[in-house]
Amino acid sequence: MLRLNVNGKVRELSDDEASTPLLWVLRDALGLTGTKFGCGVSICGACTVLLDGEPIRSCSMPASAASGRDVTTIEGLASEDGELTPVQQAWIDLDVAQCGYCQTGQIMGATALLQSNPKPSDDEIDAAMAGNICRCGTYLRIRKAIKQAAGNMGESA
């Protein structure tokens, strides 16, 4: 039996799913469809989730590699009463999303960044978010939202 701790809940899956990419276990077996499939080769970042608080690409990680570790998806960020995190709220406040497809991965990456660096500079934001591709080019809004969430708007992005 494969046991995953996803969004604070232990989920039991068949051993047959151990070699399945975590992305597909989350989406297909657990119904957590907020994590998106983009490229399938860990380049675009659409499938980003947090593993023990660190951003990882779930499309290329076997589900067994997450066994015994904490997996957080976009569905696990808001509080149980629906209160959004500062990152999620900043995304809404600043109308960051255009098509929105990459945005769950962007939000997960931004969340990890702010957990490790609560007051990042523009260069630190750009470096941390470089692996998350946005075809619509909302990078300046993403940076501004991260700064708002950090409570550090400083210079206009």
Side-chain angles (χ1 to χ4, degrees):
M1 185 70 50
L2 176 64
R3 291 175 191 226
L4 297 178
N5 183 5
V6 180
N7 299 329
K9 296 178 184 168
V10 175
R11 308 290 187 104
E12 292 186 352
L13 303 159
S14 76
D15 287 331
D16 294 341
E17 295 174 297
S19 63
T20 302
L22 180 59
L23 168 68
W24 299 114
V25 169
L26 294 171
R27 289 182 61 80
D28 295 344
L30 301 180
L32 299 171
T33 58
T35 304
K36 304 300 182 197
F37 173 78
C39 66
V41 292
S42 298
I43 294 174
C44 73
C47 69
T48 301
V49 298
L50 303 183
L51 185 63
D52 294 333
E54 295 296 319
I56 59 105
R57 306 297 197 246
S58 63
C59 70
S60 60
M61 173 180 273
S64 61
S67 181
R69 300 173 76 186
D70 292 325
V71 177
T72 305
T73 68
I74 191 76
E75 293 91 347
L77 289 185
S79 68
E80 288 192 23
D81 65 0
E83 183 179 344
L84 300 178
T85 67
V87 172
Q88 291 172 305
Q89 190 60 55
W91 247 250
I92 292 168
D93 292 348
L94 297 173
D95 198 23
V96 172
Q98 189 165 321
C99 84
Y101 196 81
C102 71
Q103 295 303 312
T104 57
Q106 301 280 359
I107 289 169
M108 298 308 289
T111 297
L113 167 62
L114 292 178
Q115 287 174 350
S116 66
N117 182 356
K119 299 286 183 191
S121 68
D122 286 351
D123 289 342
E124 290 168 328
I125 291 169
D126 293 347
M129 300 300 290
N132 290 68
I133 297 170
C134 176
R135 289 182 57 179
C136 299
T138 64
Y139 300 112
L140 294 178
R141 291 192 304 231
I142 289 168
R143 185 189 310 145
K144 191 172 182 180
I146 291 170
K147 291 181 89 167
Q148 177 177 308
N152 180 26
M153 286 304 292
E155 293 181 22
S156 169

